[in-house]
């Protein structure tokens, strides 16, 4: 079992709709949780991070964390074609939270 | 600021050859990482260095060695390349302050024939 699991997709969402991306993790000692976006042929870039249970909103993006269920999600409201990319969930754990593990990513496609 | 600089950008090796991927950051970060990315596999952690003087194995360390030369530089060595090591390699760094992201290099595309 991978430490961080994501559905690989592709997830197809109509423009203007809400895209919902999910991630589960196996280590209860995990401390911080990140969502990265990666366009084809490019390096990943940070979308959001969260470390406390509950919701965190930033513009069109909302991250949700439930440590009891070991589950973190990312909602993208008013989806745009430019949101089409692979979304990577990452989890930090270990001493100093220095070990950072990624899931396999979910490919998101926004259809006009 | 250059951020995280990886060299080379592209490399083709024959099976059994060795090479070193270089990574340097100018952000005074304590922690540095090497990941590989294969199609559909996300990023897999090879090795990381939480601070200068320390290195630890990640998820897929076999066939690789690393050196944290100083605070700025973290190199990845393939002693005897195998076709299974064909991949895109990313170096990253972070200061590990809460919420600080990983800063990635532009990647090295390695092909082993």
């Amino acid at each position: 079992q991978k430490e961080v699991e994501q559905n690989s997709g592709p997830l197809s969402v109509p423009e203007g709709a809400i895209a919902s991306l999910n991630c589960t993790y196996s280590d209860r000692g995990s401390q911080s949780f990140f969502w990265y976006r990666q366009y084809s042929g490019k390096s990943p870039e940070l979308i959001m991070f969260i470390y406390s249970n509950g919701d965190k909103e930033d513009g069109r993006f909302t991250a949700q964390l439930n440590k009891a269920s070991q589950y973190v999600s990312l909602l993208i409201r008013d989806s745009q074609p430019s949101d089409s990319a692979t979304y990577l969930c990452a989890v930090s754990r270990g001493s100093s939270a220095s070990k950072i593990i990624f899931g396999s990513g979910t490919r998101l496609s926004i259809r006009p | 600021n250059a951020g995280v600089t990886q060299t080379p950008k592209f490399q083709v090796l024959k099976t059994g050859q060795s090479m070193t991927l270089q990574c340097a950051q100018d952000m005074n970060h304590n922690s540095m990482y090497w990941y590989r990315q294969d199609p559909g596999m996300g990023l897999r952690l090879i090795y990381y260095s939480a601070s200068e003087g320390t290195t630890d194995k990640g998820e897929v360390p076999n066939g690789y060695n690393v050196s944290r030369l100083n605070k700025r530089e973290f190199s990845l060595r393939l002693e005897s390349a195998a076709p299974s090591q064909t991949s895109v390699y990313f170096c990253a760094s972070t200061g590990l302050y809460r919420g600080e992201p990983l800063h990635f290099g532009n990647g090295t595309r390695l092909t082993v024939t």
Side-chain angles (χ1 to χ4, degrees):
Chain A
Q1 180 192 2
K2 270 185 69 75
E3 291 188 48
V4 181
E5 302 252 22
Q6 296 180 252
N7 287 328
S8 60
L11 176 65
S12 181
V13 172
E15 185 174 355
I18 295 175
S20 178
L21 303 160
N22 303 316
C23 173
T24 58
Y25 59 95
S26 60
D27 187 341
R28 286 196 173 274
S30 299
Q31 295 162 36
S32 294
F33 307 85
F34 304 84
W35 284 100
Y36 287 82
R37 177 176 63 199
Q38 186 178 28
Y39 293 113
S40 181
K42 301 294 186 183
S43 304
E45 56 181 347
L46 183 74
I47 299 292
M48 291 197 69
F49 76 93
I50 187 167
Y51 54 86
S52 299
N53 274 329
D55 294 0
K56 180 180 179 183
E57 188 175 315
D58 184 1
R60 296 187 295 114
F61 299 94
T62 298
Q64 299 173 315
L65 175 61
N66 183 326
K67 288 188 176 181
S69 300
Q70 295 174 244
Y71 175 94
V72 58
S73 66
L74 179 70
L75 300 178
I76 307 174
R77 288 182 298 282
D78 188 23
S79 296
Q80 302 296 309
S82 59
D83 294 326
S84 296
T86 296
Y87 289 79
L88 298 160
C89 173
V91 171
S92 72
R93 61 182 189 80
S95 62
S96 307
S98 56
K99 188 173 187 179
I100 303 177
I101 302 293
F102 283 79
S104 55
T106 298
R107 198 152 45 94
L108 174 66
S109 175
I110 308 300
R111 57 182 190 270
Chain B
N1 281 347
V4 178
T5 303
Q6 283 183 243
T7 56
K9 287 186 174 23
F10 301 93
Q11 184 71 49
V12 178
L13 291 178
K14 293 190 188 322
T15 297
Q17 287 185 319
S18 62
M19 79 161 295
T20 299
L21 280 64
Q22 307 284 358
C23 177
Q25 52 91 9
D26 61 3
M27 295 172 283
N28 201 35
H29 285 161
N30 287 321
S31 299
M32 298 186 73
Y33 303 77
W34 278 104
Y35 292 92
R36 61 177 287 176
Q37 186 169 37
D38 304 301
M41 300 290 288
L43 291 164
R44 291 187 291 171
L45 181 63
I46 304 171
Y47 272 94
Y48 66 106
S49 172
S51 60
E52 188 179 355
T54 69
T55 60
D56 285 287
K57 294 179 180 179
E59 301 170 279
V60 289
N62 290 345
Y64 304 96
N65 286 302
V66 291
S67 295
R68 183 76 183 264
L69 303 167
N70 48 55
K71 192 170 185 179
R72 290 187 65 245
E73 298 173 285
F74 189 39
S75 64
L76 178 72
R77 183 158 178 85
L78 287 69
E79 291 291 352
S80 178
S84 60
Q85 294 177 305
T86 294
S87 190
V88 178
Y89 290 84
F90 286 101
C91 177
S93 71
T94 179
L96 278 185
Y97 301 111
R98 178 160 269 178
E100 184 176 5
L102 285 168
H103 299 260
F104 285 89
N106 288 330
T108 295
R109 188 172 293 275
L110 175 67
T111 302
V112 183
T113 62

